[in-house]
Amino acid sequence: MQRRKFLRNAGVGTAAVATTGLVAAPAIAQSAPEINWRMTSSFPKSLDTLYGGAERIAKIVAEATDNKFQIRTFAAGEIVPGLQVVDAVQNGTVEMGHTASYYFFGKDPTFALGTVVPFGLNTRQMNAWVTQGGGEQLLNDFYKNYNIYGIVCGNTTAQMGGWFRKEINTVEDLKGLKMRIAGLAGDVMSKLGVIPQQLAGGDIYPALEKGTVDAAEWVGPYDDQKLGFAKIAPNYYYPGWWEGNAAFHVFIGLDKWNALPKNYQAILRAACADTNNWTAAKYDADNPKALRVLIASGAKLLPFSQPIMEAAFKATNEVYAEITAKNANFKKVFDSMMAFRKDEVLWFRVAENTFDNFMARQSAAGKL
Amino acid sequence: MQRRKFLRNAGVGTAAVATTGLVAAPAIAQSAPEINWRMTSSFPKSLDTLYGGAERIAKIVAEATDNKFQIRTFAAGEIVPGLQVVDAVQNGTVEMGHTASYYFFGKDPTFALGTVVPFGLNTRQMNAWVTQGGGEQLLNDFYKNYNIYGIVCGNTTAQMGGWFRKEINTVEDLKGLKMRIAGLAGDVMSKLGVIPQQLAGGDIYPALEKGTVDAAEWVGPYDDQKLGFAKIAPNYYYPGWWEGNAAFHVFIGLDKWNALPKNYQAILRAACADTNNWTAAKYDADNPKALRVLIASGAKLLPFSQPIMEAAFKATNEVYAEITAKNANFKKVFDSMMAFRKDEVLWFRVAENTFDNFMARQSAAGKL
């Protein structure tokens, strides 16, 4: 219906507004032009919280502008493949994209900092760094090199550590393990002896089933449930220490963003903030139900052992030392994020974690 | 400046839009009328994160509508006292208010559920319940009795337990203690032998100094810092188990909300969601710095003992049993929130808390 309405409006409104503008009310015409943009997502429609975030942004923008600013959303592959969002925005194929910045880690590891890095911030801390700690400005100083303006617009919240065919009890158990894991986390895993594999979502199940890979990480219970890993790799580890949060962005062509009327900029920005709230809230609401279903279907919930966590933390710091030594872009953003992390974790240890841990104990005692 | 611009625009734009509407572009005139509203806040301007939230909502709405929908914000006392926001909105003195729902606990304890109740949800869980768990609808079904439409628009995050002249080590130490604490938390404290006192912000310091009260709770480090309690009641306890989060609302006259053009409704809603993000982020960013200053000026950071926490949890459940037995409004909203809490805490125990607690241990070990 959204699409039919879009087609009905296209081309007609522009003329009407132009006439109005010239004849009677220039201020109104300037601030409410008809604009039709395309937004290509890195996600398939089946990931309804992720792809649904793009749809929600488009819906709010359309409602807020009385359908004058219309954004059509396209799933991964409809215009360009999911991992070509940056290129498509940079070269003007589309006006905007919806993605996770860290997918473009291969262009420059600095892209990872726009989503999350191992042992980085949690969801609230990421929002605080982005909006209050200078993160938005630092990231956009970097994205500018790709003619892109970025706005944070969603979060998966802390992710799970993934699905393992066998139990992983010691650091030794990780050696030689073939695991579907990408980006910076893959580099950390390599230091622990894991052989990281890059696989698209649809290819993971057969690879796990055949034993081509021994383990795979995806998102969390709600998204993982759709892929059916519990039957073939039932050991479901937590936490995903490489994804204490995972932020999403809309990437907009810098010239397109700068040319947008100020009121449309304000609306798009507020729509992204609303969707940032909504996405985390939807994961928080849907994950517990999905986890229950997964456990009923055979998933075995297991924490990574402390020695594994400690070894991963140490390996992570080695990876950071290597990247910051040779990449000034990364170092600038990373140093800001890590200084912020230090303060945040110190404060969370006081009221926030103490409250959460007391409630967790009541839950464990069956008192909630 | 905002205010001067408002005065300049008032009354002029309406005529211009009406003319345009009649002559050339009826669709535009209908969706972009000049609207001037007043929003009265429960907070003084000195609480720049709370009152600043109201200012931010007004700013976003003005920007997004090219200054056609203007909301003037007023601090507590400028139009009506801070605790008369519901009355002022209900009787049409102002179109909207900015407040914490729980201030109106005296009218009906159900109002408390719009902000937070003892041992309730944390910030993320509250957002999830409001937007995904039916909370927004349930709260508005209740607010409707007061001709009010409510939208959540901010959060203090988990609060501190307050300032005590003497150390409180056992449940026995609470007996006879005169504490500035209000609402449902006051009822729980009464069961523990505390004598709750109602005092406005400005009256707390002299009362603590003279010993008229022995303890006082306020918000968290950033807001508490301004009141200077560290000098006179240095024992700074955590967590504020009665405020695992504290959500703010804009309350809008129901008829005013219903008459608002759909696009202005969408804009106001998105502005509130943006400000919801922003307020929690600002507290998360500002609290660690303030806590450091407080400790340097003599504050002694202390956790409530587990026996005190357990006794408070038990007393809280007694208070809930009493209220739900006699108040159907409360029971309906409360049952929804508590069922949601059970699922949320179960899920947070897995990835989220495990990640946070590992990071907390690294912080304690000086490794961040």
Side-chain angles (χ1 to χ4, degrees), chain B residues 211-286:
Chain B
T212 316
V213 298
D214 307 300
E217 64 91 36
W218 187 238
V219 183
Y222 181 70
D223 288 334
D224 290 10
Q225 190 188 351
K226 295 170 185 154
L227 301 182
F229 298 157
K231 300 285 181 210
I232 48 174
N235 302 290
Y236 195 26
Y237 278 88
Y238 65 90
W241 44 261
W242 51 94
E243 288 172 303
N245 87 93
F248 297 94
H249 270 84
V250 292
F251 279 161
I252 306 160
L254 192 54
D255 53 339
K256 302 288 180 196
W257 171 254
N258 288 333
L260 210 55
K262 293 294 172 209
N263 57 328
Y264 284 11
Q265 285 186 351
I267 286 168
L268 183 49
R269 198 183 277 287
C272 287
D274 176 296
T275 303
N276 192 43
N277 248 351
W278 175 87
T279 309
K282 183 158 152 51
Y283 274 115
D284 281 339
D286 291 341

Side-chain angles (χ1 to χ4, degrees), chain A residues 93-108:
Chain A
T93 305
V94 290
E95 290 82 5
M96 65 193 287
H98 175 251
T99 190
S101 178
Y102 68 178
Y103 289 150
F104 308 95
F105 163 83
K107 292 179 187 288
D108 186 320

Side-chain angles (χ1 to χ4, degrees), chain B residues 87-359:
Chain B
D87 300 297
V89 174
Q90 193 180 358
N91 67 26
T93 305
V94 290
E95 290 83 4
M96 65 193 287
H98 176 251
T99 189
S101 179
Y102 68 179
Y103 289 149
F104 308 96
F105 163 83
K107 292 179 186 288
D108 186 320
T110 313
F111 273 105
L113 295 158
T115 304
V116 67
V117 291
F119 297 105
L121 306 172
N122 71 16
T123 304
R124 286 244 310 268
Q125 294 161 359
M126 181 68 178
N127 285 334
W129 177 69
V130 167
T131 64
Q132 306 288 316
E136 182 172 44
Q137 186 60 52
L138 284 166
L139 288 171
N140 274 307
D141 287 349
F142 168 73
Y143 295 145
K144 202 169 55 190
N145 302 323
Y146 298 83
N147 293 317
I148 279 174
Y149 184 78
I151 307 174
V152 168
C153 65
N155 207 298
T156 63
T157 73
Q159 297 193 15
M160 292 292 287
W163 301 86
F164 292 72
R165 284 162 56 98
K166 292 184 185 159
E167 279 194 26
I168 301 297
N169 298 305
T170 66
V171 179
E172 197 59 34
D173 291 343
L174 290 168
K175 298 223 158 63
L177 198 84
K178 294 188 291 292
M179 181 171 184
R180 186 265 176 198
I181 188 168
L184 266 177
D187 291 354
V188 175
M189 284 290 195
S190 285
K191 286 193 181 282
L192 300 173
V194 170
I195 304 154
Q197 311 279 318
Q198 305 258 15
L199 287 176
D203 299 332
I204 304 174
Y205 188 96
L208 268 179
E209 195 177 30
K210 282 182 221 149
T212 316
V213 298
D214 307 300
E217 64 91 36
W218 187 238
V219 183
Y222 181 70
D223 288 334
D224 290 10
Q225 190 188 351
K226 295 170 185 154
L227 301 182
F229 298 157
K231 300 285 181 210
I232 48 174
N235 302 290
Y236 195 26
Y237 278 88
Y238 65 90
W241 44 261
W242 51 94
E243 288 172 303
N245 87 93
F248 297 94
H249 270 84
V250 292
F251 279 161
I252 306 160
L254 192 54
D255 53 339
K256 302 288 180 196
W257 171 254
N258 288 333
L260 210 55
K262 293 294 172 209
N263 57 328
Y264 284 11
Q265 285 186 351
I267 286 168
L268 183 49
R269 198 183 277 287
C272 287
D274 176 296
T275 303
N276 192 43
N277 248 351
W278 175 87
T279 309
K282 183 158 152 51
Y283 274 115
D284 281 339
D286 291 341
N287 275 329
K289 298 169 207 157
L291 184 62
R292 199 170 284 133
V293 173
L294 285 169
I295 290 171
S297 69
K300 196 172 160 192
L301 205 55
L302 294 163
F304 282 124
S305 68
Q306 281 309 297
I308 289 177
M309 294 289 286
E310 294 285 353
F313 186 75
K314 186 167 168 289
T316 296
N317 287 337
E318 290 167 17
V319 168
Y320 291 152
E322 290 160 17
I323 303 176
T324 51
K326 62 187 178 197
N327 185 324
N329 284 336
F330 185 91
K331 186 176 189 311
K332 190 176 173 190
V333 187
F334 175 82
D335 285 351
S336 162
M337 183 184 274
M338 291 300 129
F340 200 81
R341 179 184 72 168
K342 185 175 180 168
D343 269 6
E344 288 301 286
V345 176
L346 198 66
W347 160 236
F348 271 65
R349 285 167 57 196
V350 184
E352 202 72 42
N353 294 1
T354 311
F355 180 79
D356 283 348
N357 287 330
F358 180 81
M359 296 306 285

Side-chain angles (χ1 to χ4, degrees), chain A residues 305-325:
Chain A
S305 68
Q306 281 309 297
I308 288 177
M309 293 290 284
E310 295 285 353
F313 185 74
K314 187 167 166 288
T316 296
N317 287 338
E318 289 166 17
V319 168
Y320 290 153
E322 290 160 16
I323 302 176
T324 51

Side-chain angles (χ1 to χ4, degrees), chain A residues 127-300:
Chain A
N127 285 334
W129 178 70
V130 166
T131 65
Q132 307 288 316
E136 184 173 43
Q137 186 60 54
L138 283 166
L139 288 171
N140 274 307
D141 287 348
F142 168 72
Y143 295 146
K144 202 169 53 188
N145 302 323
Y146 299 82
N147 293 318
I148 279 174
Y149 185 78
I151 308 174
V152 167
C153 66
N155 207 298
T156 63
T157 73
Q159 297 193 14
M160 292 292 287
W163 302 85
F164 291 72
R165 284 162 57 99
K166 294 184 184 159
E167 279 193 28
I168 302 298
N169 297 307
T170 65
V171 179
E172 197 58 35
D173 290 343
L174 290 169
K175 299 224 158 61
L177 199 84
K178 293 188 291 293
M179 181 170 185
R180 186 266 176 197
I181 188 167
L184 267 177
D187 291 353
V188 175
M189 284 291 194
S190 284
K191 287 194 180 281
L192 300 173
V194 170
I195 303 154
Q197 311 278 317
Q198 305 258 15
L199 287 174
D203 299 331
I204 304 174
Y205 188 96
L208 268 178
E209 195 178 31
K210 281 183 223 151
T212 316
V213 297
D214 307 300
E217 64 91 37
W218 188 237
V219 183
Y222 181 69
D223 288 334
D224 289 9
Q225 190 187 352
K226 294 170 186 154
L227 301 183
F229 299 156
K231 300 286 182 211
I232 48 173
N235 302 291
Y236 195 24
Y237 278 88
Y238 65 89
W241 42 262
W242 51 94
E243 289 173 303
N245 86 93
F248 296 95
H249 271 84
V250 292
F251 279 160
I252 305 160
L254 192 55
D255 53 339
K256 302 288 180 194
W257 172 253
N258 288 332
L260 211 56
K262 293 294 172 209
N263 57 327
Y264 284 11
Q265 285 185 351
I267 286 168
L268 182 49
R269 197 183 279 286
C272 287
D274 176 297
T275 303
N276 192 42
N277 248 352
W278 175 87
T279 309
K282 184 158 151 51
Y283 274 115
D284 281 339
D286 291 341
N287 275 329
K289 299 169 206 156
L291 184 63
R292 198 170 284 132
V293 173
L294 284 170
I295 289 171
S297 70
K300 197 172 159 193

